[in-house]
Amino acid sequence: MKFSTQILALLGAITCALASVVRSSDSANGLDFVYPYPVKSYRFVSQRKHFTMSYMDVMPEGTPKGSIVLLHGKNFCGATWNATIQVLVDDGYRVVAPDQVGFCKSTKPSEYQFSLMALAQNTNGLLNSIGITNATIMGHSMGGMISARYALMYPNETYQLVMVDPLGLENWFSLGVPYQSPDLSYSSELETTYDSLKTYQQSTYYAGTWLSSYDVWVNMLLSIYQGPLGDRFAWNMAETTDMIFTQPVIDELPNLQMSSLLMVGDKDTTAIGSKWAPADIKALIGHYEVLGKEVSAEIPGCTLVEFPLLGHAPQIQDPDTFHAALLNWLP
């Protein structure tokens, strides 16, 4: 009888664990995509609205030697960090990878004042809720802007800062790019197709190259546009385009106080507004082979790592080289 009770308890524990994994693959907030690790939910109130922030919280074996928070870019999700999460966990770090409000498996609000400060504050609330008050904050693309803003807002809670091909290294408006309203951006977002996503990502993220393994990230993003919350997602993307364009962080980066790492693919040409900028202005923006050197020289204690042959997403295009450089810098 005792043996049977133990077996039943064990089966119950296994069933609960499996149920947790299954729930992580269910469609959430318009994204039916299986994440590499169980997905948890942080519920909070912002701007008088109730939100859910989905996130992965992955622990290493044994005591973590530190926590690293991975912030995704505008055309990415927390799941896009899958290879990086595994590398960092294997190296002994606790890794948290959230989906920002408006993205992926998190709430897609019909109305929200998107700002880098609001997204950084949401992230800080999530981390505090799971007991993390000091972490290495690492962001890619738009996530690089958010991570920089986070470090400026919460310097005592940011152990180190890592920015991977961050946006906002130049002020596009001051360089001559005209302002475009979110309404026009929304119309453009509604026209998103597999081909439009692939064409943009191939030229910008992967320096003109393409592997079949990249398709999963295109299809992941496309599934949100074509899903039940596609219209709301398109509006959120238009709003975040406006946020990125109007809130450059370049002038404040010299105020960063912690040790930082800037990692850039020199073939990256990402620049918000390049699609609608005049030809002569477009030629002036998005030169990461120049921006990396200029910006890192302005940040106290900043280390620059360049990838001469890579584009906007070096962690995906050449993960081995990228992760070797990252681990070489981390303590």
Side-chain angles (χ1 to χ4, degrees), residues 246-264:
T246 59
Q247 299 174 34
V249 295
I250 178 61
D251 291 335
E252 295 178 75
L253 293 182
N255 296 330
L256 291 168
Q257 302 173 18
M258 65 292 300
S259 175
S260 61
L261 173 65
L262 177 61
M263 309 176 80
V264 299

Side-chain angles (χ1 to χ4, degrees), residues 194-260:
Y194 170 85
D195 288 337
S196 68
L197 287 171
K198 178 181 176 180
T199 297
Y200 175 72
Q201 293 187 17
Q202 182 174 15
S203 63
T204 307
Y205 295 177
Y206 309 115
T209 66
W210 191 260
L211 298 177
S212 59
S213 59
Y214 302 155
D215 281 326
V216 65
W217 307 124
V218 175
N219 289 320
M220 176 188 68
L221 192 63
L222 185 63
S223 72
I224 314 176
Y225 282 103
Q226 296 180 342
L229 296 179
D231 183 80
R232 190 176 293 182
F233 179 63
W235 177 243
N236 290 167
M237 294 304 95
E239 290 182 295
T240 50
T241 293
D242 188 76
M243 173 189 76
I244 295 167
F245 185 84
T246 59
Q247 299 174 34
V249 295
I250 178 61
D251 291 335
E252 295 178 75
L253 293 182
N255 296 330
L256 291 168
Q257 302 173 18
M258 65 292 300
S259 175
S260 61

Side-chain angles (χ1 to χ4, degrees), residues 46-47 112-123 153:
S46 176
Q47 299 178 21
Y112 192 63
Q113 184 179 337
F114 279 91
S115 70
L116 296 176
M117 288 186 173
L119 298 185
Q121 186 177 57
N122 296 343
T123 301
M153 291 173 66

Side-chain angles (χ1 to χ4, degrees), residues 53-302:
M53 234 176 130
S54 295
Y55 67 99
M56 292 175 284
D57 184 1
V58 190
M59 300 289 289
E61 292 185 7
T63 303
K65 62 181 184 181
S67 298
I68 298 182
V69 181
L70 303 179
L71 305 183
H72 64 78
K74 182 176 180 293
N75 289 328
F76 301 83
C77 295
T80 323
W81 286 111
N82 63 338
T84 304
I85 294 172
Q86 187 63 62
V87 167
L88 292 175
V89 169
D90 288 346
D91 201 53
Y93 290 96
R94 177 185 183 181
V95 179
V96 177
D99 287 340
Q100 295 296 334
V101 166
F103 292 82
C104 309
K105 290 185 179 291
S106 291
T107 300
K108 295 166 184 63
S110 57
E111 295 180 1
Y112 192 63
Q113 184 179 337
F114 279 91
S115 70
L116 296 176
M117 288 186 173
L119 298 185
Q121 186 177 57
N122 296 343
T123 301
N124 181 257
L126 162 62
L127 296 180
N128 287 178
S129 75
I130 57 177
I132 296 178
T133 57
N134 193 2
T136 293
I137 308 298
M138 177 173 171
H140 168 241
S141 190
M142 177 196 74
M145 292 185 80
I146 300 172
S147 65
R149 177 56 62 196
Y150 185 102
L152 290 164
M153 291 173 66
Y154 306 103
N156 294 329
E157 298 183 50
T158 305
Y159 175 57
Q160 293 175 309
L161 172 66
V162 181
M163 296 178 288
V164 183
D165 286 85
L167 300 180
L169 297 185
E170 54 189 346
N171 188 325
W172 301 293
F173 182 73
S174 69
L175 292 171
V177 179
Y179 176 73
Q180 175 172 283
S181 73
D183 301 274
L184 288 176
S185 296
Y186 168 68
S187 297
S188 178
E189 294 284 354
L190 290 176
E191 297 174 354
T192 299
T193 64
Y194 170 85
D195 288 337
S196 68
L197 287 171
K198 178 181 176 180
T199 297
Y200 175 72
Q201 293 187 17
Q202 182 174 15
S203 63
T204 307
Y205 295 177
Y206 309 115
T209 66
W210 191 260
L211 298 177
S212 59
S213 59
Y214 302 155
D215 281 326
V216 65
W217 307 124
V218 175
N219 289 320
M220 176 188 68
L221 192 63
L222 185 63
S223 72
I224 314 176
Y225 282 103
Q226 296 180 342
L229 296 179
D231 183 80
R232 190 176 293 182
F233 179 63
W235 177 243
N236 290 167
M237 294 304 95
E239 290 182 295
T240 50
T241 293
D242 188 76
M243 173 189 76
I244 295 167
F245 185 84
T246 59
Q247 299 174 34
V249 295
I250 178 61
D251 291 335
E252 295 178 75
L253 293 182
N255 296 330
L256 291 168
Q257 302 173 18
M258 65 292 300
S259 175
S260 61
L261 173 65
L262 177 61
M263 309 176 80
V264 299
D266 285 345
K267 298 294 184 182
D268 189 0
T269 59
T270 305
I272 298 297
S274 62
K275 289 184 178 180
W276 64 80
D280 58 331
I281 301 299
K282 183 176 181 178
L284 300 177
I285 59 179
H287 294 281
Y288 274 75
E289 77 282 6
V290 176
L291 291 172
K293 297 179 180 65
E294 290 182 346
V295 173
S296 62
E298 296 294 322
I299 303 175
C302 181

Side-chain angles (χ1 to χ4, degrees), residues 10-33:
L10 178 60
L11 289 174
I14 293 174
T15 300
C16 289
L18 289 175
S20 176
V21 173
V22 170
R23 282 195 298 271
S24 73
S25 66
D26 288 345
S27 178
N29 287 311
L31 177 58
D32 185 11
F33 184 85

